[in-house]
């Protein structure tokens, strides 16, 4: 069996996966900047609560995957498509909490530790 024919398919899949990841990073950062009303250069996935919710009162609603993580950590085109469609349709979105909810969130975080 000649494996050389598969190299192009594998490379094409890797290219597709890479393109989807870049597209997701850009889309999520764009949506975060819209809600935060700030220009941000980075979205924090690890410690999102500390970096984003605690500082700006912003939460993510409707995350469609089992694990909350950076698109860079997703290695399935199907999962990336699900994530992309959820963001594009508005099913997944950032939401800025009201001042009262943000205070209550901060208080509950302090009492949970």
């Amino acid at each position: 069996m000649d494996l050389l024919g598969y190299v192009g398919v594998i490379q094409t899949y890797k290219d597709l996966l890479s393109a989807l990841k870049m597209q997701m990073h850009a889309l999520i950062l764009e949506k975060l900047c819209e809600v935060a009303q700030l220009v941000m250069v980075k979205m924090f996935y690890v410690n999102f609560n500390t970096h984003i919710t605690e500082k700006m009162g912003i939460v993510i609603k409707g995350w469609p995957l089992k694990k909350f993580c950076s698109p860079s950590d997703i290695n399935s085109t199907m999962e990336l498509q699900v994530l992309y469609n959820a963001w594009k349709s508005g099913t997944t979105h950032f939401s800025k909490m009201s001042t009262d909810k943000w205070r209550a969130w901060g208080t509950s975080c302090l009492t949970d530790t």
Side-chain angles (χ1 to χ4, degrees):
M1 177 177 220
D2 182 14
L3 295 179
L4 293 178
Y6 292 111
V7 172
V9 173
I10 291 169
Q11 190 59 46
T12 301
Y13 181 80
K14 286 181 180 179
D15 291 344
L16 174 63
L17 197 60
S18 178
L20 285 170
K21 288 178 181 187
M22 287 191 311
Q23 192 175 26
M24 284 308 315
H25 276 293
L27 178 62
I28 292 170
L29 186 59
E30 174 188 321
K31 300 288 186 181
L32 177 59
C33 290
E34 286 173 9
V35 172
Q37 297 180 339
L38 297 168
V39 175
M40 300 180 70
V41 295
K42 182 178 179 180
M43 163 62 182
F44 292 89
Y45 295 89
V46 175
N47 298 320
F48 176 86
N49 288 341
T50 303
H51 292 288
I52 306 295
T53 305
E54 186 177 300
K55 293 180 180 176
M56 294 182 264
I58 295 173
V59 295
I60 293 180
K61 294 191 174 185
W63 186 263
L65 305 177
K66 289 181 182 180
K67 179 183 174 190
F68 178 71
C69 64
S70 168
S72 296
D73 297 329
I74 301 170
N75 291 311
S76 160
T77 56
M78 185 183 302
E79 285 186 342
L80 287 166
Q81 281 297 149
V82 166
L83 188 59
Y84 178 81
N85 291 336
W87 279 101
K88 285 303 273 186
S89 70
T91 302
T92 301
H93 59 277
F94 289 104
S95 178
K96 189 156 179 84
M97 293 186 277
S98 69
T99 303
D100 290 340
K101 282 188 179 181
W102 190 13
R103 282 188 190 129
W105 178 89
T107 302
S108 71
C109 286
L110 291 175
T111 58
D112 288 345
T113 56

